[in-house]
Each structure stands twice: as structure tokens, then as C-alpha cells.
Amino acid sequence: MNVQYDIAIVGGGIVGLATAYQLSLQYKERNLRIVVFEKEPTLAFHQTGHNSGVIHSGIYYKPGSLRAQNCYEGRHALVRFCKEQQIPFDICGKVIVASKESELPYLQEIYDKGIANKTEDIELIEPEQIREIEPYCDGIKAIRVGCAGIVDYQQVAQRYADLFVANGGEIKTNCLVKDFERKNDITTIITSLGNFDSRYVIACGGAQSDRLAKKYHLDPGMRIVGFRGEYYELLNHDKVKNLIYPVPDPNFPWLGVHFTRMIQGEIECGPNAVFAFKREGYEKTDFDWQDTKDALSYSGFWQLTRKHLAFGIAEQYRSISKAAFHKSLLHLIPSLQMDEIAPGRSGVRALALTPEGSMIDDFKFVHADNAIHVLNAPSPAATASLAIGKTIADMAKQKFNQLV
Ligand SMILES: Cc1cc2nc3c(=O)[nH]c(=O)nc-3n(C[C@H](O)[C@H](O)[C@H](O)COP(=O)(O)OP(=O)(O)OC[C@H]3O[C@@H](n4cnc5c(N)ncnc54)[C@H](O)[C@@H]3O)c2cc1C
């Protein structure tokens, strides 16, 4: 039977494109026919195009976890890649700042994780040293993380795509994958541009990962719920030199509202985390009936809401009140004035929730029949993208019998 493709990758975000690029490198000699299907007109539009642009150090993650391993390897690979490809980046370093005594034990825990994760160039510093690095920042203790940096991930993802195409790969944009039909080891991928046959499928659908798994008749054991992260723009650039982070709340997989210098020069503060009525909607008023119904009919969503009701209400309030958002930034920069920040853009994080309401914080890749599904690729998946792509390409080599 004449099959059109050997591997079809669903999703042209940074994970799908890094996977396509790594596969095209590994199988260069074999002339495999690999295609990427992306439903949007442009690549890397969703989480990849709406993130903070930080090259994460890997300090926060549980030692031994996929996030810790892939972040360390991915960061090194990303920096090498940006140098080779002449993509602008800056290893400017960051500070994680404790503002009160109660945060000190967790600050120490983060530092210890950094040591266990072999994060380079980290040290605990005192208030005077914080001021030397960030003159307007107040804190009682901090971790200086020298190996963190900034980059434009849309540019990185586009370069993976260009190299993948140069290696013989194919990308179809405006191509929504609607369903899969499996027959005799061949999968027919039903899309808005017609039907395509492939031997293997790799689904990297970001906020749609659970739905793609279900279409493949795989029970993902979780559901994605969107949490919008809203940013303000810092108008007075004197107040922040590089990256200033608070000590995060250990109950959540997010890093807390921070200050980020972007590679293009602007400085952002955020993001918060509020329930998104649309998984891929970036305005406060965006609404999608199916997304809302799927979240509100899910036990995991209600369990999470019950456990963290006070946090949820505070975040909703901070979303509508500039004064509340401003107040939360004062812990890090006490002299920040209300008129020094203005509402900015937003992104939506795909939060993977179990039916019991637990947040899955590690990366999750599942092999089923002739497919690999990336079910969960939260931050630092952009930093880790080359390592994730390699992990998936290695998994494909192992599991997809006819490739070798
Ligand atoms: C607010 C925010 C800040 C972040 N900050 C950072 C950071 O500073 N550093 C960092 O390393 N990480 C950060 N992250 C995390 C990082 O951006 C994501 O982990 C990463 O972009 C995930 O990439 P992805 O390819 O899995 O998802 P996406 O970028 O969302 O891509 C998935 C793609 O699949 C496509 N797709 C879905 N379903 C279909 C279908 N049926 N047919 C065809 N195409 C489909 C979508 O259109 C989309 O383009 C942040 C994330 C957010 C939301």
C-alpha cells in the first residue's frame, strides 16, 4: 500500500516543531516522509507565541523529573542552537527574592533543588547584593541564578520549522486535524484540507492534547483546563534590569508574578492565573461553549476549585483590579508607582488536571499503538524543546517498529 507519510505530527507549536526537527536530523539518511499539521495560519501561535520568553535554569523542578532533566539538557542545547543560528538571546541571569521570613525555608528548598539539578552559577545572596543586581528590588534573601536568560521562542520555533523543511519535511498550516481512523497499521488523518495516510502519529497539541488523545481512542486520564495569565507592561524601564522573581507558592506549578525583560526590550510584569473560558482565548471576554462545558462538567476542575477557592477569588480580583495587581508587585519593588504599569498582553497555560483535581506538573508523553501523545508540556517546555524533541524522537525509534 502506498502510504503518503511515515510520521504525521499534529501541532506546530515549539514541541511539535522541535520534534519534527530532531526526527529530520535523526532520519536524514532514510528520507522519511514527515509532515506537520497546524490548524492556525501561522506556526507557534498559541502557548509558544504567548509566553514569557525566559530561558529557564531548571532550578525549581523535582530532581530526577522529566522537567528537571529536559530543562537542563534543553537549555544547553537551546543556547548552542541560538549561537549557531545567530538567534538573539541573552543569558542575563535572574534573582528569586524572598520578601518575608516565612518564605525562607522554601527559598532554601529551591536552592537545594538547584544543587541537585546541577544548575550552574547559583548562589544565596543578601539584601545588599540584591540591590547591586537590581537597585530597586527589596528582599531579605535571594538566589542569584546566573544561567537563566531570555529569547524569542516564536523565532526559535520558526527556525526549527525552516531547518525541518530544509531537511525534506513538509508543513501544512490552516490544517485542522479533526479525527483519526485506524486500519491495518495505517492511520488516516481526517483534516480540514482532506484525508492523509500515515504509518505513525505524534500528537503535540498543547491545549488540545486531551482531545487529540480521545480522538485516537486513548484515555488520557486527565483533562486540560485553560488558565489565562495576564501581564502588565512596565513603563519605567529604570526599575528592572533583567529578571526578578518572587518565591513561588509551592501549592501551584506557576512561578508567581514576576518582572521579565523581553529580548525585544520591553519589560513585563505577570502573569497571574485566572480560569479561561476559552482554551485558546487571550481576551478577558473570550468564551468558548465547548471549552467551558468541558471544564465545568469535570470533577477535577471542581476538586481544584474547592481546594484553592481563596486563591481563585484573589486571582479573579487581581485580574479586574489594577490596584490589586500593583500591590502584589510592591513586595519586589516597593517604589513602583501605579502609573508606571499599563495593561499588556496575555497567554493561556494548558493545565493538566486529574479527575481528583491534582495538577500534573511533570511532562507526560504516552505511547499507544502507532502513536505518541504529548499529553502535558507545561513550562519549561519552550526552554526544554530540543531535549523534548530528542526524547520523543528516541521514543519513536524504540516504539515505531518499522522505522528502524
Ligand atoms: C503565559 C505563559 C508563560 C510561559 N513562559 C515560559 C517561559 O518563559 N519559558 C518556558 O520555557 N516556557 C514558558 N511557558 C511554557 C511554554 O510556552 C509551553 O510549555 C510551550 O510553548 C508548549 O509548546 P507546545 O508546542 O506543546 O504548545 P503550543 O505552543 O500551544 O502548540 C500546540 C499547537 O498545536 C496546534 N493544534 C492543537 N490542536 C490541533 C489540531 N486538532 N489540528 C492541528 N493543530 C492543532 C495548536 O494550534 C498549536 O499551534 C509559558 C507558557 C505560558 C502560557
Side-chain angles (χ1 to χ4, degrees):
M1 185 177 171
N2 187 17
V3 183
Q4 282 155 296
Y5 297 109
D6 295 296
I7 304 177
I9 297 171
V10 185
I14 201 162
V15 171
L17 295 169
T19 303
Y21 169 55
Q22 294 286 26
L23 282 166
S24 74
L25 285 181
Q26 283 196 13
Y27 290 100
K28 213 169 183 172
E29 310 305 316
R30 293 273 321 272
N31 291 327
L32 286 189
R33 293 150 306 168
I34 308 174
V35 65
V36 174
F37 296 123
E38 168 54 52
K39 66 181 163 58
E40 303 296 339
T42 51
L43 296 170
F45 180 75
H46 287 300
Q47 292 180 94
T48 306
H50 288 84
N51 67 24
S52 298
V54 174
I55 301 175
H56 284 299
S57 64
I59 193 169
Y60 297 101
Y61 315 116
K62 191 173 160 201
S65 63
L66 287 173
R67 286 210 292 177
Q69 286 163 22
N70 285 276
C71 188
Y72 178 87
E73 284 161 26
R75 171 166 56 80
H76 285 272
L78 178 68
V79 168
R80 273 196 308 274
F81 181 83
C82 290
K83 279 184 191 157
E84 277 163 24
Q85 295 293 323
Q86 299 181 346
I87 294 173
F89 72 101
D90 185 1
I91 301 300
C92 53
K94 79 173 188 179
V95 281
I96 305 169
V97 182
S99 312
K100 43 187 193 261
E101 292 283 328
S102 59
E103 293 174 341
L104 291 179
Y106 194 50
L107 187 77
Q108 182 65 45
E109 205 178 297
I110 294 171
Y111 179 78
D112 294 341
K113 279 189 197 161
I115 297 292
N117 289 337
K118 299 191 173 65
T119 313
E120 312 89 329
D121 196 14
I122 58 172
E123 63 170 334
L124 284 163
I125 57 173
E126 300 300 324
E128 318 79 70
Q129 293 162 290
I130 300 174
R131 289 263 176 180
E132 277 166 28
I133 298 169
E134 292 287 351
Y136 290 91
C137 178
D138 230 15
I140 56 171
K141 207 170 182 111
I143 308 172
R144 183 189 65 77
V145 186
C147 60
I150 51 175
V151 73
D152 176 347
Y153 283 114
Q154 245 173 341
Q155 198 181 353
V156 172
Q158 185 59 52
R159 194 62 57 86
Y160 296 160
D162 294 345
L163 293 170
F164 164 66
V165 171
N167 289 342
E170 197 182 328
I171 297 179
K172 289 185 188 293
T173 50
N174 285 312
C175 185
L176 170 73
V177 171
K178 297 178 179 173
D179 214 343
F180 303 103
E181 272 173 15
R182 300 209 45 231
K183 203 172 171 193
N184 301 333
D185 279 350
I186 302 296
T187 303
T188 301
I189 300 150
I190 299 158
T191 83
S192 54
L193 296 183
N195 296 354
F196 301 93
D197 289 339
S198 180
R199 287 182 204 284
Y200 299 104
V201 171
I202 301 179
C204 306
Q208 310 294 337
S209 67
D210 54 339
R211 289 174 177 157
L212 286 168
K214 278 194 191 150
K215 286 182 201 299
Y216 206 83
H217 302 292
L218 171 74
D219 175 9
M222 44 70 105
R223 192 171 290 183
I224 296 290
V225 176
F227 276 83
R228 204 174 55 254
E230 296 155 331
Y231 294 85
Y232 274 77
E233 205 184 322
L234 182 69
L235 303 175
N236 180 356
H237 283 198
D238 293 340
K239 294 237 155 133
V240 172
K241 287 192 162 178
N242 292 305
L243 308 172
I244 309 176
Y245 281 65
V247 176
D249 181 337
N251 292 313
F252 296 96
W254 305 312
L255 302 179
V257 169
H258 46 267
F259 291 89
T260 316
R261 175 166 69 83
M262 308 293 281
I263 196 75
Q264 290 87 354
E266 66 272 36
I267 299 174
E268 293 188 332
C269 350
N272 59 1
V274 289
F275 173 65
F277 290 90
K278 187 174 180 187
R279 291 189 190 186
E280 293 171 345
Y282 303 99
E283 302 298 326
K284 282 190 205 309
T285 50
D286 276 347
F287 178 85
D288 180 273
W289 169 241
Q290 189 63 48
D291 290 349
T292 305
K293 187 165 115 320
D294 282 355
L296 300 189
S297 62
Y298 187 50
S299 61
F301 174 76
W302 291 109
Q303 298 281 3
L304 180 82
T305 307
R306 194 176 53 75
K307 271 188 258 179
H308 300 293
L309 188 61
F311 172 86
I313 292 170
E315 285 296 276
Q316 287 293 345
Y317 181 61
R318 192 158 61 159
S319 167
I320 53 171
S321 161
K322 182 180 177 185
F325 203 102
H326 170 247
K327 194 174 164 205
S328 61
L329 297 170
L330 294 178
H331 297 298
L332 294 172
I333 304 202
S335 65
L336 189 74
Q337 303 297 312
M338 272 271 262
D339 59 5
E340 287 177 327
I341 59 169
R345 61 183 187 98
S346 70
V348 181
R349 304 176 188 89
L351 186 72
L353 279 179
T354 67
E356 296 76 35
S358 300
M359 294 171 268
I360 301 176
D361 62 10
D362 208 0
F363 298 149
K364 193 167 179 192
F365 319 130
V366 174
H367 166 248
D369 299 325
N370 285 346
I372 293 170
H373 286 261
V374 175
L375 292 177
N376 194 35
S379 185
T383 306
S385 50
L386 283 171
I388 294 176
K390 184 162 183 313
T391 304
I392 297 170
D394 289 346
M395 205 167 162
K397 199 172 197 170
Q398 217 182 31
K399 306 281 186 190
F400 295 171
N401 302 329
Q402 289 171 45
L403 281 192
V404 281

